[in-house]
Amino acid sequence: MASITVKSPDGKVRAVNLRKRITSIGRSDDNDIKLEDLNVPEHAIHIMFDGSRYQVGSHGGAFQVNGKKKDEHVLGPSDVIRLGESELTFGAGTFVLTNQASCPRIM
């Protein structure tokens, strides 16, 4: 499962698994991933999974991927999306553990 690692302007880092076909990202409470960044639109971007690849698209404004301004982009491993002062790093095929107690030990 792919994931997004969010680095907020205050330096806090959190990881979110991309479980839905379409994941919305922005400042508003009704997004799947809410960004605490006043420089980000309420509904900034979405990430869509078509069964084989992840693509990020805008809701009207441009964003940056790996330092280049984009309207849409097919995501690759370690791509960095910049929205306002926030950085979102895409992890393809990675899975973020949310509860280590449920993880079996490998010996």
Side-chain angles (χ1 to χ4, degrees):
M1 176 180 301
S3 66
I4 289 287
T5 301
V6 179
K7 183 177 179 186
S8 301
D10 62 5
K12 291 182 183 174
V13 177
R14 63 187 166 111
V16 181
N17 290 318
L18 298 176
R19 300 178 188 270
K20 297 172 69 177
R21 191 173 84 68
I22 298 175
T23 302
S24 62
I25 303 171
R27 198 177 73 239
S28 178
D29 288 334
D30 63 348
N31 286 291
D32 298 308
I33 300 175
K34 181 182 177 187
L35 300 178
E36 301 289 341
D37 185 337
L38 295 176
N39 296 307
V40 172
E42 288 188 357
H43 300 96
I45 62 172
H46 62 273
I47 297 175
M48 185 178 79
F49 180 61
D50 68 5
S52 62
R53 65 185 186 159
Y54 289 85
Q55 182 169 340
V56 60
S58 152
H59 290 274
F63 53 92
Q64 287 186 13
V65 177
N66 303 327
K68 295 183 177 151
K69 196 171 182 177
K70 303 278 185 165
D71 293 321
E72 63 181 22
H73 178 80
V74 174
L75 291 168
S78 301
D79 276 352
V80 177
I81 303 165
R82 177 167 289 279
L83 287 170
E85 298 299 316
S86 300
E87 283 187 357
L88 294 79
T89 304
F90 178 71
T94 60
F95 183 79
V96 178
L97 291 176
T98 56
N99 181 358
Q100 289 184 330
S102 64
C103 181
R105 285 193 142 163
I106 300 173
M107 301 205 167

